[in-house]
Amino acid sequence: MNFRFQLHFKSIKNRASIWPAKPLYHFRILRYTTSNNYIDLHKRNVILELEKRGMVNELTSHDIKNHVKKQTTIYCGIDPTAPSLHLGNLLTLMGLLHFNILGHRAIALIGGATGLIGDPSGRNTERQPMSVTMIEHHVTALNQQLHRIFNNGLMYASRRGFILDNEVDNFLVMNNLEWFDKMLALEMLNDVGRYFRVGTMLMKESVKLRMENEGGISFTEFSYQLLQAYDFWYLYNHHQCRIQLGGSDQWGNITAGIDLIKKKAHDVINVKNVQYKLDNAFGITIPLLLTSTGEKFGKSTGNAIWLNEDITIADVDIEKYLRMFTLLNIEEIAHIVKTHMESPEKHYAQERLASEITELVHGSQGLRKAQFATSVLFDTPIKNMSSRDIIDAFANDSRCLTTVKRNDVLNCSIDRVAVVTGACKSRSEANKLIKSGGLYLNSKRISDPQYQLHKSDLIDGIICIFRIGRSNYRLAQIVD
């Protein structure tokens, strides 16, 4: 009976069309220069660099510090549970980028197969299953985003003094559907499952926590650690990958992969009597992203990273995030923090962090676009700005750009206009904001509840901008 493991992983079609035929870039960084002094990056130990930045939670072995003195390959996995990466993903990718910058080969592995299973780590309940079509869409979107981030990241590094070798391709995006799609169910049980002991699997923290809950854990999610372990073995065996990087909640899955590598390599050498070079495999976990109060850092509710004055990062956290999310050297970060503390009300460090992250994720052009969007929302005057430029700046932010009929807002009281445009939920809410000084029209505070919207209030006769408080906003495009 041709009972295939493809039963679950089959049908993500046209995989060749998902991946670009060639990488977006072919370079790696050779050295770094400050004040005309070159530093050979191969002499910098990436583990020590990550430790200085507070980006190492645990190492499976301290021997990794010697291992990375020569070029190696590292990977981290990303399940396509959403069409976009979130801040937690970015932290792990920053670790991968540091390896890449220092001359190591980096693999970002998208879980086109494991995304259909769902990782139980860090969850109290089972994930809602996603359709193959949705996974397919997410895989495509993440592939494009990963290439863009690493392309931007290395260019970002080059603008900060890192010297590039443009003849080396050192970054790869892969999809684990590539190997699971071809695997028989019996092959999975025999070649992977027999190396695992149920007692050991039950002791994994992610499993123990779920077992304590009333809902328990399904066999599907229970098997996830086998799949991630096999990913590590596959990349170890076929791509000379020796290191897996993940968040601290991935410790159990990472160590399961290392155990599988040792056992399968032992069988290859001793049972099958085949020559095989067994190198050590290593794991690195990065701390979960927490605020100074111990709360998990929330995901962004939109794609844009606004460079506004209300970035919700406390002063006590700002140095940590500058170390983790930028390539600025430690000395420069210390200077930024010192400058910030001289006038903390100006939020200099928060704005610098937002600027660095935006350039890294969206590139220098994206940074300019975000700066323009910020000036629209928070700077005065804005009358000289083009309505087309304003619309383009917010085109990808569906939260704030809305279209309303001219007759529904023109010559109407401002509290009514605020409701029609979606800036406020009710006229009473709008009036409370006006009385407290928290409602702005085109960056100007509205103090009169009876104020009416006139044609002169519209930029180019078609745009008006509401801001509620310090950071919530709504752009209204007026149409006939």
Side-chain angles (χ1 to χ4, degrees), residues 29-176:
I29 297 176
L30 294 177
R31 57 192 188 276
Y32 173 68
T33 176
T34 54
S35 303
N36 298 320
N37 294 320
Y38 290 106
I39 302 170
D40 186 348
L41 293 183
H42 292 292
K43 294 179 181 178
R44 288 175 61 181
N45 191 302
V46 64
I47 302 298
L48 300 181
E49 179 70 20
L50 293 178
E51 285 180 337
K52 282 195 302 183
R53 292 177 176 270
M55 295 178 69
V56 173
N57 188 64
E58 287 186 273
L59 304 171
T60 56
S61 170
H62 286 278
D63 290 342
I64 191 174
K65 293 180 181 179
N66 288 322
H67 175 76
V68 299
K69 289 179 179 178
K70 62 181 185 298
Q71 188 180 39
T72 188
T73 301
I74 182 173
Y75 95 95
C76 72
I78 301 162
D79 275 347
T81 53
S84 179
L85 300 167
H86 56 74
L87 203 61
N89 295 135
L90 182 59
L91 180 56
T92 307
L93 291 174
M94 286 301 299
L96 207 62
L97 183 60
H98 277 287
F99 270 87
N100 205 205
I101 287 171
L102 296 184
H104 303 289
R105 192 162 185 253
I107 299 174
L109 180 65
I110 301 179
T114 45
L116 288 166
I117 299 298
D119 184 359
S121 301
R123 291 186 61 87
N124 295 322
T125 58
E126 187 153 352
R127 294 179 188 274
Q128 290 296 316
M130 291 188 294
S131 68
V132 169
T133 302
M134 185 176 292
I135 290 284
E136 201 173 34
H137 170 69
H138 291 175
V139 167
T140 303
L142 291 178
N143 172 61
Q144 295 170 349
Q145 195 172 29
L146 284 164
H147 275 105
R148 185 172 65 248
I149 286 175
F150 268 76
N151 190 49
N152 289 339
L154 293 183
M155 288 302 176
Y156 168 92
S158 72
R159 286 191 289 272
R160 282 153 180 76
F162 293 88
I163 309 301
L164 303 179
D165 173 6
N166 61 6
E167 297 181 356
V168 178
D169 169 26
N170 237 23
F171 174 65
L172 182 66
V173 178
M174 299 185 71
N175 182 348
N176 64 9

Side-chain angles (χ1 to χ4, degrees), residues 268-269 273-277:
V268 170
I269 295 168
N273 197 25
V274 175
Q275 284 191 340
Y276 190 90
K277 183 182 179 183

Side-chain angles (χ1 to χ4, degrees), residues 8-41:
H8 295 289
F9 299 137
K10 194 177 179 181
S11 300
I12 295 199
K13 308 175 185 72
N14 302 322
R15 289 196 307 278
S17 66
I18 291 176
W19 312 107
K22 295 181 180 179
L24 299 184
Y25 58 82
H26 288 274
F27 53 70
R28 65 184 169 92
I29 297 176
L30 294 177
R31 57 192 188 276
Y32 173 68
T33 176
T34 54
S35 303
N36 298 320
N37 294 320
Y38 290 106
I39 302 170
D40 186 348
L41 293 183

Side-chain angles (χ1 to χ4, degrees), residues 115-298:
L116 288 166
I117 299 298
D119 184 359
S121 301
R123 291 186 61 87
N124 295 322
T125 58
E126 187 153 352
R127 294 179 188 274
Q128 290 296 316
M130 291 188 294
S131 68
V132 169
T133 302
M134 185 176 292
I135 290 284
E136 201 173 34
H137 170 69
H138 291 175
V139 167
T140 303
L142 291 178
N143 172 61
Q144 295 170 349
Q145 195 172 29
L146 284 164
H147 275 105
R148 185 172 65 248
I149 286 175
F150 268 76
N151 190 49
N152 289 339
L154 293 183
M155 288 302 176
Y156 168 92
S158 72
R159 286 191 289 272
R160 282 153 180 76
F162 293 88
I163 309 301
L164 303 179
D165 173 6
N166 61 6
E167 297 181 356
V168 178
D169 169 26
N170 237 23
F171 174 65
L172 182 66
V173 178
M174 299 185 71
N175 182 348
N176 64 9
L177 190 70
E178 177 185 331
W179 43 92
F180 284 122
D181 191 39
K182 304 170 185 175
M183 184 176 284
L184 300 172
L186 291 177
E187 184 182 355
M188 178 69 181
L189 292 171
N190 185 54
D191 285 0
V192 182
R194 70 187 182 89
Y195 292 103
F196 286 79
R197 294 293 173 266
V198 172
T200 303
M201 295 175 69
L202 288 170
M203 292 302 293
K204 299 294 183 184
E205 193 67 24
S206 59
V207 175
K208 285 172 61 180
L209 291 174
R210 289 288 292 280
M211 292 288 286
E212 292 170 0
N213 290 342
E214 183 178 348
I217 185 170
S218 69
F219 177 78
T220 301
E221 287 198 343
F222 182 63
S223 68
Y224 185 93
Q225 55 186 289
L226 276 71
L227 306 181
Q228 185 168 327
Y230 187 81
D231 283 341
F232 199 177
W233 159 254
Y234 185 92
L235 294 176
Y236 177 96
N237 195 37
H238 294 279
H239 294 273
Q240 296 74 52
C241 180
R242 298 295 179 260
I243 306 172
Q244 183 180 170
L245 175 72
S248 58
D249 59 347
Q250 293 298 307
W251 178 260
N253 292 333
I254 292 173
T255 54
I258 294 173
D259 288 343
L260 179 63
I261 287 169
K262 290 176 181 177
K263 292 173 181 177
K264 284 188 70 68
H266 177 270
D267 272 8
V268 170
I269 295 168
N270 297 327
V271 177
K272 298 182 180 179
N273 197 25
V274 175
Q275 284 191 340
Y276 190 90
K277 183 182 179 183
L278 176 59
D279 291 329
N280 286 334
F282 304 94
I284 306 170
T285 60
I286 288 179
L288 289 179
L289 200 56
L290 304 174
T291 67
S292 59
T293 60
E295 297 173 328
K296 189 174 181 179
F297 200 95

Side-chain angles (χ1 to χ4, degrees), residues 297-346:
F297 200 95
K299 296 180 183 179
S300 171
T301 55
N303 292 326
I305 300 174
W306 304 115
L307 310 184
N308 63 43
E309 61 202 43
D310 195 34
I311 297 168
T312 54
I313 297 176
D315 288 345
V316 293
D317 290 322
I318 193 65
E319 183 173 2
K320 176 174 70 174
Y321 290 125
L322 283 167
R323 287 172 181 256
M324 288 179 165
F325 288 106
T326 78
L327 295 179
L328 300 170
N329 62 52
I330 301 301
E331 293 74 19
E332 188 171 359
I333 290 172
H335 177 71
I336 291 170
V337 173
K338 181 176 180 294
T339 303
H340 169 81
M341 296 310 295
E342 290 172 356
S343 302
E345 71 282 358
K346 295 182 179 179

